Amino acid sequence: MDLRAYRTDGFWDELFDEQLRPRPGAEQLVRRLASFSHGELAARQRAADKMLLTMGITFNVYGHEAGTEKIWPFDIVPRVIDAVEWERIERGLKQRIHALNCFIDDLYHRRRILHDRVVPEWLIDSAKSFRGPCAGLTPPRGVWCHITGTDLVRGGDGVMYVLEDNLRTPSGVSYVLENREVMKRTFPQLFDGQRISPVENYPEKLLAMLEYVAPSQARDPTVVVLTPGIYNSAYFEHSFLARQMGVELVQGSDLVVVDRVVHMRTTRGLERVDVIYRRIDDDFLDPRVFRPDSLVGVPGLMEAYRAGNVALVNAPGTGIADDKAVYAYVPKIIRYYLGEDAILPNVPTWVCGEEAQCAHVVEHLAEMVVKPANESGGYGLVIGPRASAAELAECRARILANPRNFVAQPMVALSRVPTVVGDTLEGRHVDLRPFILYGEEIFVLPGGLTRVALVEGSLVVNSSQGGGSKDTWVVHGPASPAEASSTTGGG
């Protein structure tokens, strides 16, 4: 395969530098790709697509004309991260999650960071995701954000930035595991001789974390995954993780609270539940405390939680750190609680709830990316440089009507990764969502989910809007003789 025709087009490419030399960690992969005959890569891609169909790896799209369930879009050329760079990313993520956990705990107790005016009080009190009923609560083991998916992007300067923090019910980790499985089945020769960090132990790590936060009286805790049901966009993942951990997948109607204890209805009668990995937003968890019209929650669940009879993962109220306006203050939050500079920088962000910053955003709207503070999946996003005059006018009106609900960032020239297009490779923009577990210790799954904008020139990587994914390799250098005798590559 002739790679000399590949073009980086002035963007930072994750596989090649500007002279088309492989970046650190990618040398062996590039040699393999170059050795393929014409048409072989396209044939491998078709084999992978067929396997995804056979394995039933899907996701749901709300309101799509052709049906809700779609085959997961996947590209077989992996994204490579050198282990030396990954070590810094991992440290940065651990630092960030540690600080955010301190922040959430502080907000629901003493609110020191507000009294010290590091974060403005109005920002928290006006946040849709701040849960008053959680004030004074202390979750088991003091951990609020047990599972986080942090979105990272690399700009044209080669720096890896944090774009968003997802601390409510982050999705995508099942595709990390399935992407690796599909790659190993359809393209095993790519792994030969490579030292790639494994990802297959994630379900084991997840279950260990869930059991760690179980109430102290639960000696052999019963764990369940709580799903809103088959029409949820992430239902595949809910069922996948439950199956991988060997625990029950339940809906709200499967659970009942009796005397402040949660039970699961089974054919043998009621069975006590100790830990709930809930994939339901706070609003719908318990109709007696949050939205009374919720049909997917469990009446009395919060009372059982307050009594210490069940652990909820993530803890209710964690979504306050998911607010995109709060995100802008995370470097200050890290410094306040840890006395350190953030290892991973934020993308510069203007908070429209601040009058001067809002004026700047409105004046420079055509140059910025505007986001609603509490949306996800790319919904409500306005990319100023690509928006029409009418779209910009509508965006401006929405900001001025409710400035608290919007933030704006400069348009980042997202890095690209070679992607299969027919029989050739073309660059497509990507981001990266590593997954972090916080239990007895903080664990970062090596790599994470690389999301790719499959449409040429697009910057939107969300699967609900035309995005796909890639396997992500954290690649280590050559093994020492001692390591080579005790390890095998390609995990």
Side-chain angles (χ1 to χ4, degrees):
M1 183 176 191
D2 187 1
L3 297 176
R4 291 173 297 180
Y6 182 74
R7 295 288 179 265
T8 59
D9 297 327
F11 292 100
W12 182 280
D13 194 277
E14 297 287 341
L15 208 58
F16 297 103
D17 67 13
E18 54 275 16
Q19 276 81 48
L20 286 186
R21 294 173 300 203
R23 293 201 182 276
E27 298 89 346
Q28 190 164 332
L29 173 63
V30 170
R31 281 197 298 273
R32 294 275 183 183
L33 292 174
S35 70
F36 293 147
S37 59
H38 178 72
E40 185 173 356
L41 200 60
R44 298 282 182 177
Q45 181 65 57
R46 288 193 294 273
D49 292 342
K50 185 176 180 180
M51 181 164 291
L52 287 161
L53 180 64
T54 303
M55 295 171 66
I57 303 173
T58 62
F59 70 106
N60 290 351
V61 180
Y62 300 124
H64 197 283
E65 293 178 357
T68 58
E69 194 170 29
K70 305 293 177 189
I71 298 300
W72 179 247
F74 174 68
D75 184 86
I76 57 171
V77 178
R79 185 230 195 102
V80 172
I81 303 174
D82 183 65
V84 175
E85 181 182 25
W86 178 254
E87 186 273 335
R88 178 176 173 277
I89 293 172
E90 184 179 32
R91 279 193 295 113
L93 292 170
K94 288 181 175 179
Q95 177 198 52
R96 195 173 183 95
I97 300 308
H98 182 197
L100 286 174
N101 195 69
C102 295
F103 173 64
I104 299 166
D105 191 70
D106 188 18
L107 290 185
Y108 289 112
H109 290 90
R110 298 175 60 190
R111 295 164 68 100
R112 290 188 302 117
I113 198 167
L114 307 184
H115 300 323
D116 290 339
R117 301 179 184 277
V118 176
V119 173
E121 195 163 1
W122 63 262
L123 186 75
I124 303 304
D125 291 340
S126 62
K128 292 180 180 177
S129 52
F130 182 76
R131 305 295 178 211
C134 295
L137 281 176
T138 298
R141 307 280 188 173
V143 179
W144 293 80
C145 48
H146 310 87
I147 303 169
T148 305
T150 303
D151 290 346
L152 306 178
V153 295
R154 194 193 302 277
D157 54 4
V159 174
M160 194 73 89
Y161 296 90
V162 177
L163 183 66
E164 290 182 10
D165 299 292
N166 299 288
L167 293 97
R168 286 179 287 188
T169 54
S171 295
V173 73
S174 60
Y175 301 114
V176 175
L177 307 185
E178 294 287 43
N179 287 350
R180 179 63 55 85
E181 181 66 20
V182 170
M183 281 296 293
K184 290 170 75 173
R185 290 195 192 187
T186 60
F187 233 164
Q189 57 270 59
L190 278 188
F191 292 84
D192 288 347
Q194 298 259 39
R195 300 180 67 223
I196 302 166
S197 293
V199 297
E200 293 83 351
N201 63 344
Y202 179 83
E204 179 185 332
K205 293 279 188 182
L206 175 61
L207 182 59
M209 182 275 289
L210 293 169
E211 291 178 340
Y212 173 74
V213 300
S216 56
Q217 66 270 25
R219 294 188 176 179
D220 184 15
T222 297
V223 177
V224 299
V225 177
L226 175 61
T227 175
I230 61 172
Y231 296 108
N232 185 269
S233 61
Y235 180 75
F236 169 83
E237 176 155 303
H238 305 166
S239 58
F240 175 87
L241 291 175
R243 187 170 64 251
Q244 292 291 313
M245 290 190 290
V247 305
E248 294 290 339
L249 177 68
V250 300
Q251 298 188 37
S253 57
D254 297 318
L255 301 178
V256 61
V257 178
V258 179
D259 295 333
R260 300 194 299 179
V261 175
V262 181
H263 298 272
M264 172 172 48
R265 294 185 172 94
T266 76
T267 55
R268 302 174 301 280
L270 296 181
E271 181 180 338
R272 180 167 179 153
V273 172
D274 303 296
V275 183
I276 300 176
Y277 175 19
R278 50 94 174 200
R279 299 297 297 255
I280 293 177
D281 285 344
D282 288 353
D283 281 339
F284 302 97
L285 260 183
D286 182 347
R288 292 182 185 168
V289 177
F290 300 114
R291 283 184 54 161
D293 59 341
S294 171
L295 299 177
V296 296
V298 183
L301 182 58
M302 284 299 292
E303 192 177 1
Y305 180 62
R306 284 196 195 95
N309 291 330
V310 69
L312 297 175
V313 173
N314 286 338
T318 302
I320 184 62
D322 200 308
D323 186 311
K324 293 179 178 59
V326 171
Y327 153 91
Y329 293 86
V330 173
K332 291 181 178 178
I333 290 171
I334 292 173
R335 174 163 289 283
Y336 182 76
Y337 292 109
L338 307 183
E340 302 169 357
D341 290 331
I343 296 171
L344 298 173
N346 273 18
V347 174
T349 301
W350 285 263
V351 177
C352 295
E354 296 275 6
E355 187 175 345
Q357 295 185 42
C358 185
H360 178 87
V361 171
V362 171
E363 186 178 347
H364 297 86
L365 204 54
E367 306 159 22
M368 306 188 114
V369 176
V370 177
K371 301 176 177 180
N374 287 286
E375 291 288 350
S376 59
Y379 293 105
L381 188 75
V382 176
I383 301 176
R386 299 184 179 183
S388 67
E391 289 169 332
L392 290 176
E394 182 185 351
C395 180
R396 183 179 293 105
R398 290 167 57 207
I399 292 173
L400 294 176
N402 184 9
R404 167 62 179 85
N405 197 40
F406 293 92
V407 300
Q409 297 171 326
M411 192 167 86
V412 177
L414 301 184
S415 63
R416 304 198 315 186
V417 177
T419 300
V420 178
V421 179
D423 290 332
T424 63
L425 292 176
E426 295 182 7
R428 293 290 185 268
H429 296 291
V430 294
D431 76 353
L432 179 66
R433 176 176 289 183
F435 291 89
I436 306 103
L437 300 178
Y438 193 164
E440 188 169 11
E441 58 184 4
I442 299 177
F443 166 76
V444 184
L445 183 67
L449 181 65
T450 290
R451 301 186 299 177
V452 53
L454 294 173
V455 178
E456 184 178 7
S458 173
L459 296 172
V460 181
V461 298
N462 306 83
S463 56
S464 57
Q465 301 192 45
S469 72
K470 289 171 168 286
D471 193 11
T472 308
W473 291 2
V474 174
V475 176
H476 301 257
S480 66
E483 290 173 323
S485 64
S486 61
T487 61
T488 56

